[in-house]
């Protein structure tokens, strides 16, 4: 690389050719003031505050002018300072008075005011005419727009476009009337803005500022307590800082911080969705079910199913029932989406911790003594830390002698993990989401990352701007399709046929990596024979994707030097989910796209710690680090480490446990930590029946959930913000979550509760801290070798990591061998099979379920967050315009959606993103619970339910096609 040497304020500096004067000056220790420039964005030179003297006819903008060999630069001459002062005065004259400045009154870091103080100018003293009246936009619930404070530096434009890739912000008007505009000059809150807050973090003045949430005032950072932690929502695991008002005992605001993965970026949930922890509905005391609440069953009208025909946000429905206190005139239900505490709490009484824990231990031991180990089961949580997941599975295995322990991975990527273990010997991703920058082409399939993994999606969009081709494969035309080079809108459930056809073409065109296949794979010939039956013409008939499109995508993938496949639950949540993932593994392997930069396999993890919880052994077939419970040498090793005999048989999965409860000799007692299967599991009517039949149920959570209505004991737990612990993100990055505040009332930290129960059932546990638990866990997990809380630092570490004190860890896995016994990738061919339940005349539409950007899973957190619930408050069914028109339905109309298992009522949303014959319903809304409709058929390998395909009908509420009995559904 060529270098140039320049002199800046008398200091010689040598830099690579093309380096700007601003960057060279920073390297030399010379400070140049800026307003429009920030190292995170491409320089544009619009504010001219950074001008310097290079000896030319005019002053040069240091942020865009490159250094030249022999150049002499002066940054502090009288002329330079005079020009900066004049520019500052011109800008300050149009600003709001200092006492009214939005940023001065909040974070106090208005860069223009700092320059005004530096150059001794002020709006109050300038003789220049002072402009105002360009307006304030308060339409967004958490962001204030003050156009009078805007200096048109375009930082927000670049933050929105270049960093987040949302393309919402631009300019409108001319001359003095020029404004920053959202979309077509819409109010911010009515535009396509996703409220990620990147523009607020970018803005140097008071033009874009955060609003106070829950009346907690925003103050300068130095007046608040900064706690560096990690976002508690999705698997991207973004690094952030919470600014805490200790006097008020609450978070004032949050912002992104630097980390190799997320690079200071956040989405709306990370930046604004933290106030759920301060909800007045937090559980604060142990609760025990009162005698009159037996025989046990659901306690509210909603959970009993009396109102399954829909409480609808923004409307009302009929309902009522025992204890129903949430009714309006004429007995009609009020809108809303949370458990009605007034209706449920009378059936519980407060208890001491000693009484509650003693009762739990006694009843679980009695059930264990009577029914044996198989009578006990536990559901852990991917919201809890690695340490808590480790202790929970250890309690179930050593305290009750059973492997009946699972968590929500069974409902998201279990089939992906099954295929990955079979194919490459590891359930973790083989490269990071940031490695997309090194890829020539990426396939994003069965995922809507702009909603589910928005920060990872920003890197995908950025890569595309830099030349990476994006192939998007999904039944829905989500916003990702707008950034893709190719959108293959497959019919639901046809992924195997599509990818077999892609492989057919790659092989036909000779684009396979023969050396990689010969040296690093097995069973290629069988795979080739299978995909030979899937020419593009046949695949087109099955998938609905044009044969020429299939050929083009195959050619693009096969000719690329490096390619990554990122996938989501549109791949895994099928009865053929394992086969779907097998195809992706094979497609990467036969083209040599594993084990080198810009290539690999990445199932995008859903929950913030679903990777870590699985790593820690919170699954029924594996001990920590995916060591098989049915392998004798492994079992003996854990028996020695844990000092007790262990069950040699694989345990039951989430869905199998629910089925077992319905059997006379099945599971009778359960401990649920942070799980809400009543809303998260398929076929809610079956789940309702199972939960009612449990002899004893312990629910440990931060809120009263639907599942808690079936509990015998409810324990008040700690939120993510109230404890220390480690969390592993989708990249395999292990990070520390740090305590922000104390749990409310008598609520306790989860790992301490688990330990207290363990002691009461006879285990000699005496852990003193999460780091002590982590050390024990790591000693049993070769993948986590060398990691300690002390060396994770502020940005965490990727595993595997041979030297975490000096290395961030391994980005790309399998550069030399796979983790299989023979070191080879095992290619497993798959035949396309239709879904288990197909549309017919009575149920002609296909239902797909999933998440919205603003919400999370069963909504217990996000629907208690002011920003998130305000932006997205209602349940909707998304329908293609033709499907709606065929049924005479209008946008916003209340409709009934029914399947063979149940019925819900919600509003219709006309959406061009859906295919004809397909509907989408988010599963966050208990008043229109999508899983009343879904089928509980499971993948035979991963045991994951079919969340992405079932047959439904949508009809106007006036249609009377179902009886009340059909509305409630049959449990079986």
């Amino acid at each position: 690389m060529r270098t140039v040497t320049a002199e800046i304020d008398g200091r010689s500096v040598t830099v690579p050719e093309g380096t700007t004067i601003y960057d060279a000056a920073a390297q030399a220790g010379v400070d140049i003031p800026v307003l429009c420039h920030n190292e995170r964005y491409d320089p544009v030179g619009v504010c001219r505050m950074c001008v310097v003297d290079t000896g030319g006819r005019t002053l040069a903008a240091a942020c865009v002018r490159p250094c030249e060999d022999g150049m002499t630069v002066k940054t502090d001459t009288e002329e330079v300072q005079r020009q900066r002062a004049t520019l500052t005065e011109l800008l300050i004259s149009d600003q709001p008075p200092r006492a009214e400045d939005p940023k001065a009154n909040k974070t106090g870091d208005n860069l223009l005011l700092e320059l005004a103080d530096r150059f001794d100018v002020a709006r109050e003293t300038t003789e220049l005419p002072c402009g105002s009246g360009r307006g304030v936009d308060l339409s967004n619930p958490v962001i204030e727009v003050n156009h009078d404070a805007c200096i048109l530096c375009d930082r927000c434009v670049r933050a929105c476009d270049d960093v987040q890739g949302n393309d919402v912000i631009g300019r409108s008007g001319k001359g003095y009337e020029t404004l920053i505009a959202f979309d077509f000059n819409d109010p911010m809150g009515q535009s396509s803005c996703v409220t990620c807050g990147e523009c607020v973090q970018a803005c140097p003045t008071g033009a874009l500022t955060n609003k106070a949430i829950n009346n907690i005032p925003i103050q300068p950072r130095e007046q608040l307590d900064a706690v560096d932690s990690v976002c508690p929502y999705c698997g991207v695991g973004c690094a952030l800082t919470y600014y805490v008002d200790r006097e008020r005992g609450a978070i004032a605001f949050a912002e992104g911080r630097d980390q190799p993965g997320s690079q200071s970026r956040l989405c709306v949930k990370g930046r604004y969705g933290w106030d759920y922890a301060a909800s007045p509905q937090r559980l604060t005391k142990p609760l025990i079910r009162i005698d009159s609440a037996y025989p046990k069953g659901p306690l509210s009208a909603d959970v009993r199913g009396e109102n399954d025909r829909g409480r609808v946000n923004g409307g009302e429905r009929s309902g009522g029932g025992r204890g129903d206190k949430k009714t309006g005139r004429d007995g009609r239900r009020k809108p809303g989406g949370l458990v009605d505490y007034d209706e449920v709490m009378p059936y519980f009484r407060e208890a001491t911790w000693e009484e509650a824990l003693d009762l739990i231990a006694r009843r679980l031991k009695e059930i264990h003594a009577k029914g044996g180990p198989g009578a006990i089961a536990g559901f852990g949580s991917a919201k809890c830390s690695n340490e808590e997941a480790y202790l929970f599975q250890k309690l179930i295995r050593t305290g009750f002698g059973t492997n009946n322990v699972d968590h929500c991975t069974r409902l998201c990527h279990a089939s992906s993990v099954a295929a990955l273990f079979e194919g490459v010997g590891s359930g973790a991703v083989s490269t990071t989401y940031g490695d997309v920058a090194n890829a020539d082409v990426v396939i994003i399939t069965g995922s809507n990352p702009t909603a589910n993994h928005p920060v990872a999606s920003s890197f995908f969009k950025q890569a595309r701007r830099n030349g990476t081709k994006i192939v998007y494969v999904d039944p829905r035309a989500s916003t990702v399709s707008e950034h893709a080079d190719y959108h293959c809108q497959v019919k639901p459930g046809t992924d195997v046929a599509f990818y077999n056809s892609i492989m057919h073409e790659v092989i036909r065109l000779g684009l396979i990596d023969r050396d990689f296949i010969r040296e690093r794979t097995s069973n290629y010939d069988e795979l080739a024979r299978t995909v030979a039956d899937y020419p593009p013409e046949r695949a087109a008939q099955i998938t609905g994707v044009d044969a020429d499109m299939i050929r083009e995508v195959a050619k693009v993938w096969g000719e690329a030097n490096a390619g990554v496949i990122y996938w989501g639950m549109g791949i895994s949540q099928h009865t053929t989910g394992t086969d779907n993932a097998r195809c992706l593994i094979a497609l990467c392997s036969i083209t040599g796209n594993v084990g080198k930069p810009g290539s690999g396999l990445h199932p995008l993890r859903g929950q913030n710690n679903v990777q870590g919880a699985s790593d820690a052994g919170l699954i029924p077939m594996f001990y920590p680090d995916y060591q098989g419970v049915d392998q004798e040498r492994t079992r003996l090793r854990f028996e020695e480490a844990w000092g007790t005999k262990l069950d040699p048989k694989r345990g039951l999965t989430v869905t199998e446990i629910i089925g077992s409860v319905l059997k006379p000799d099945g599971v009778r007692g359960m401990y649920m930590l942070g799980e809400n299967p009543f809303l998260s599991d398929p076929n809610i009517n079956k789940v309702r029946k199972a939960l009612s039949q449990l002899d004893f149920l312990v629910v440990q959570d931060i809120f009263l959930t639907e599942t808690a209505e079936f509990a015998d004991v409810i324990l008040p737990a700690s939120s993510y913000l109230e404890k220390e612990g480690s969390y592993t993100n989708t990249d395999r990055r292990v990070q520390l979550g740090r305590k922000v505040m104390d749990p409310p009332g008598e609520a306790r930290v989860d790992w301490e509760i688990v330990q207290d129960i363990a002691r009461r059932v006879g285990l000699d546990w005496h852990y003193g801290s999460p780091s002590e638990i982590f050390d024990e866990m790591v000693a049993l997990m070769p993948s986590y070798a060398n990691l300690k809380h002390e060396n994770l630092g502020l940005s965490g570490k990727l595993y595997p990591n041979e030297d975490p004190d000096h290395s961030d860890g391994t980005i790309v896995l399998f550069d030399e061998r796979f983790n299989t016994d023979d070191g080879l990738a095992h290619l497993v061919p798959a035949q396309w099979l239709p879904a288990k339940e197909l549309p017919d005349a009575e149920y002609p539409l296909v239902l797909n379920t999933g998440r919205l950007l603003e919400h999370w899973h069963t909504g217990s957190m996000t629907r208690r967050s002011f920003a998130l619930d305000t932006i997205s408050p209602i349940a909707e069914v998304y329908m293609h315009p033709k499907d709606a028109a065929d049924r005479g339905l209008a946008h916003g109309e209340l409709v009934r959606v029914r399947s063979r298992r149940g019925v819900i009522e919600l509003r219709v949303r006309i959406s061009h993103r859906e295919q004809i014959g397909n509907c989408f319903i988010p599963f966050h809304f208990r008043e229109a619970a999508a899983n009343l409709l879904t089928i509980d058929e499971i993948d035979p390998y991963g045991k994951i339910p079919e969340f992405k395909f079932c047959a439904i009908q949508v009809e106007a509420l006036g249609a009377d096609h179902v009886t009340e009995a059909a509305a409630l559904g049959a449990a079986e």
Side-chain angles (χ1 to χ4, degrees), residues 344-419:
V344 175
M345 290 296 274
Y347 297 99
F348 292 90
R349 64 174 177 83
E350 294 181 354
T352 65
W353 274 100
E354 291 298 311
E355 181 187 10
L357 293 173
D358 287 346
L359 175 60
I360 290 167
R362 177 173 62 80
R363 288 293 289 122
L364 290 179
K365 286 195 294 184
E366 287 173 353
I367 292 170
H368 179 264
K370 181 179 179 180
I376 300 293
F379 286 173
S381 174
K383 277 279 171 276
C384 290
S385 68
N386 290 325
E387 294 81 4
E388 289 162 342
Y390 173 79
L391 281 196
F392 189 83
Q393 61 85 34
K394 183 179 177 183
L395 166 64
I396 300 299
R397 287 182 160 123
T398 63
F400 300 103
T402 179
N403 290 311
N404 292 342
V405 62
D406 208 355
H407 73 296
C408 68
T409 190
R410 194 65 41 212
L411 307 177
C412 55
H413 269 303
S415 52
S416 301
V417 170

Side-chain angles (χ1 to χ4, degrees), residues 416-444:
S416 301
V417 170
L420 286 166
F421 262 100
E422 173 187 67
V424 300
S426 169
V429 302
S430 72
T431 192
T432 64
Y433 61 81
D435 197 28
V436 66
N438 298 310
D440 299 319
V441 60
V442 297
I443 294 175
I444 302 171

Side-chain angles (χ1 to χ4, degrees), residues 7-11 30 73-76:
E7 183 180 285
I8 302 178
D9 289 349
R11 306 178 190 182
V30 176
V73 179
K74 297 178 181 179
T75 72
D76 199 26

Side-chain angles (χ1 to χ4, degrees), residues 233-245:
Y233 283 105
C234 83
V236 177
C238 299
L240 48 67
T241 300
Y242 295 110
Y243 288 92
V244 186
D245 186 331

Side-chain angles (χ1 to χ4, degrees), residues 230-542:
V230 186
C231 178
Y233 283 105
C234 83
V236 177
C238 299
L240 48 67
T241 300
Y242 295 110
Y243 288 92
V244 186
D245 186 331
R246 292 298 178 197
E247 181 180 343
R248 293 174 175 83
I251 296 170
F253 68 98
E255 61 186 10
R257 60 181 177 84
D258 196 28
Q259 178 236 61
S262 57
Q263 298 180 15
S264 301
R265 305 177 196 186
L266 293 175
C267 77
V268 61
K269 291 190 290 291
R271 197 179 302 273
Y272 301 112
W274 32 261
D275 53 319
Y276 69 90
S279 168
Q281 290 192 326
R282 285 291 301 275
L283 296 172
T284 59
K285 291 179 180 292
L287 302 171
I288 294 177
R289 196 181 196 91
I290 62 175
D291 292 342
S292 61
Y294 293 91
K296 194 164 61 173
L299 302 174
S300 67
D302 280 344
V303 176
R304 284 198 300 272
E306 295 170 11
N307 294 308
D308 283 350
R309 297 179 69 171
R311 179 195 324 139
V312 183
N313 286 286
E316 297 181 335
R317 67 172 183 194
S318 62
R322 181 183 64 178
D324 184 4
K325 300 179 183 297
K326 199 169 185 179
T327 57
R329 286 177 295 180
D330 303 322
R332 296 179 68 83
R333 297 282 292 180
K334 296 180 180 178
L338 300 173
V339 171
D340 187 348
Y341 279 43
D342 290 340
E343 189 177 3
V344 175
M345 290 296 274
Y347 297 99
F348 292 90
R349 64 174 177 83
E350 294 181 354
T352 65
W353 274 100
E354 291 298 311
E355 181 187 10
L357 293 173
D358 287 346
L359 175 60
I360 290 167
R362 177 173 62 80
R363 288 293 289 122
L364 290 179
K365 286 195 294 184
E366 287 173 353
I367 292 170
H368 179 264
K370 181 179 179 180
I376 300 293
F379 286 173
S381 174
K383 277 279 171 276
C384 290
S385 68
N386 290 325
E387 294 81 4
E388 289 162 342
Y390 173 79
L391 281 196
F392 189 83
Q393 61 85 34
K394 183 179 177 183
L395 166 64
I396 300 299
R397 287 182 160 123
T398 63
F400 300 103
T402 179
N403 290 311
N404 292 342
V405 62
D406 208 355
H407 73 296
C408 68
T409 190
R410 194 65 41 212
L411 307 177
C412 55
H413 269 303
S415 52
S416 301
V417 170
L420 286 166
F421 262 100
E422 173 187 67
V424 300
S426 169
V429 302
S430 72
T431 192
T432 64
Y433 61 81
D435 197 28
V436 66
N438 298 310
D440 299 319
V441 60
V442 297
I443 294 175
I444 302 171
T445 180
S447 174
N448 180 9
T450 51
N452 298 337
H453 305 89
V455 169
S457 176
S458 72
F459 288 91
F460 302 159
K461 290 180 280 188
Q462 221 172 26
R464 200 244 178 180
R465 291 169 188 245
N466 292 329
T468 299
K469 284 186 168 62
I470 292 181
V471 178
Y472 185 53
V473 186
D474 197 81
R476 303 186 71 216
S478 76
T479 52
V480 182
S481 66
E482 298 163 10
H483 298 269
D485 297 273
Y486 307 93
H487 178 208
C488 301
Q489 196 166 12
V490 295
K491 295 176 183 177
T494 63
D495 303 273
V496 168
F498 177 81
Y499 288 107
N500 277 353
S501 188
I502 295 290
M503 287 188 280
H504 172 283
E505 282 298 286
V506 168
I507 293 171
R508 184 186 69 82
L509 294 170
L511 299 176
I512 57 175
D513 187 330
R514 298 185 186 279
D515 291 340
F516 192 95
I517 291 171
R518 182 179 62 256
E519 297 169 6
R520 301 200 57 191
T521 73
S522 65
N523 205 37
Y524 169 75
D525 290 340
E526 185 62 30
L527 176 78
R529 279 192 291 271
T530 298
V531 303
D533 291 335
Y534 291 85
E537 288 74 19
R538 182 191 177 205
Q541 291 178 337
I542 297 171

